[in-house]
Amino acid sequence: MSIVNNINHYNEQLAPYNTRLIAVSKTKPVEDLLQAYEGGQRDFGENKVQELSAKEEVLPKDIKWHMIGHLQRNKVKYIAPFVHLIHAVDSPKLLAEINKQALKNDRVIACLLQVHIAEEETKFGFDETELMDFLNGDSLKEYNNVKILGLMGMATNTSDKAQVSKEFDQLKSLFNQIKSNFDLENVDMQELSMGMTSDYIEACQAGSTMVRIGSAIFGARNYPQQ
């Protein structure tokens, strides 16, 4: 199947859930992204700042760029002028830096707070207690140049679909709790980013508003040989 056919296939799969497709284009050449763009795709996800910045320079300006990978604070300045949504804000210090760089660029940058839901130590993110402490604290209220639009999470990498669904349901429950109980000017819970190629159906069933799918659209990733 072509890239455009793959895009259409996933959009058809997601439509009943009203879930948006983020086409994860990491390691893929600009030509592949242009094919997806010409097929109507506008939301693209990258996990490395250098690659994201390089592609943004040469591709159409109506693309919405999603930073989906672990973001180092010293790299925020490179994407602050244009990034549409930062999915993986995993610490108060990172959000403070995003706010600082957004102010320099006279922007309000949309962000998702990453929550650690997997039974794996390799995943980044707030645990539930840390998240609630942060939302109840004073520092967030002072950040006028960020907007918290929701939460992001990655389930355990397992073939146990019941386990995956349980983790997604927990994140949805936390999302609903925050949406109902927090009335801050810079918190507007709209987006729940969860689900990838292997578990997007479970994510959609749990209420995901956006899924991150890459190799199933573009083919195997082009990692350089060692």
Side-chain angles (χ1 to χ4, degrees):
M1 291 176 73
S2 71
I3 289 172
V4 172
N5 287 340
N6 291 338
I7 292 277
N8 292 337
H9 167 75
Y10 279 102
N11 279 324
E12 287 172 9
Q13 295 280 306
L14 299 176
Y17 302 100
N18 199 27
T19 303
R20 193 154 81 256
L21 173 64
I22 312 302
V24 179
S25 46
K26 61 185 181 181
T27 80
K28 292 299 170 183
V30 164
E31 292 76 17
D32 286 5
L33 277 72
L34 276 173
Q35 280 188 50
Y37 177 88
E38 287 161 5
Q41 183 66 22
R42 292 295 180 271
D43 291 276
F44 290 87
E46 292 284 338
N47 72 336
K48 295 207 180 309
V49 166
Q50 186 175 358
E51 189 173 356
L52 176 57
S53 299
K55 288 175 177 173
E56 188 275 336
E57 280 186 15
V58 298
L59 283 161
K61 295 307 174 191
D62 61 335
I63 285 177
K64 295 175 180 176
W65 292 104
H66 297 249
M67 178 64 197
I68 63 171
H70 177 62
L71 179 58
Q72 295 173 298
R73 279 179 282 157
N74 63 350
K75 301 278 183 69
V76 174
K77 60 189 175 187
Y78 299 112
I79 61 172
F82 66 85
V83 69
H84 175 70
L85 180 64
I86 298 176
H87 285 232
V89 178
D90 58 6
S91 72
K93 287 182 177 179
L94 175 57
L95 192 66
E97 181 63 24
I98 294 168
N99 185 72
K100 174 183 168 185
Q101 296 300 330
L103 177 60
K104 286 183 180 179
N105 285 276
D106 194 25
R107 294 189 69 208
V108 174
I109 295 179
C111 299
L112 305 179
L113 299 178
Q114 183 176 0
V115 183
H116 188 285
I117 59 172
E119 292 185 357
E120 297 168 0
E121 294 185 5
T122 54
K123 302 283 195 297
F124 296 96
F126 292 86
D127 66 31
E128 189 170 334
T129 301
E130 291 170 336
L131 181 65
M132 289 307 188
D133 287 348
F134 179 57
L135 290 170
N136 281 306
D138 292 327
S139 58
L140 179 57
K141 298 170 187 168
E142 300 170 4
Y143 296 159
N144 298 317
N145 290 82
V146 294
K147 190 88 165 179
I148 304 301
L149 287 187
L151 304 178
M152 177 266 212
M154 289 185 282
T156 302
N157 183 15
T158 174
S159 58
D160 183 350
K161 297 298 186 183
Q163 170 76 16
V164 169
S165 292
K166 183 184 80 170
E167 291 168 358
F168 286 151
D169 287 340
Q170 287 171 344
L171 188 59
K172 174 63 170 176
S173 177
L174 185 59
F175 173 90
N176 289 340
Q177 183 183 343
I178 295 168
K179 188 178 178 73
S180 299
N181 294 318
F182 285 87
D183 185 22
L184 297 175
E185 196 167 318
N186 57 356
V187 177
D188 182 13
M189 302 297 281
Q190 300 176 15
E191 304 287 2
L192 190 53
S193 173
M194 54 187 192
M196 299 183 287
T197 303
S198 62
D199 56 19
Y200 75 94
I201 291 294
E202 289 76 20
C204 288
Q205 290 170 342
S208 177
T209 66
M210 52 178 73
V211 295
R212 310 175 301 272
I213 296 178
S215 53
I217 292 172
F218 296 105
R221 298 208 170 98
N222 305 324
Y223 292 114
Q225 294 184 340
Q226 298 297 319

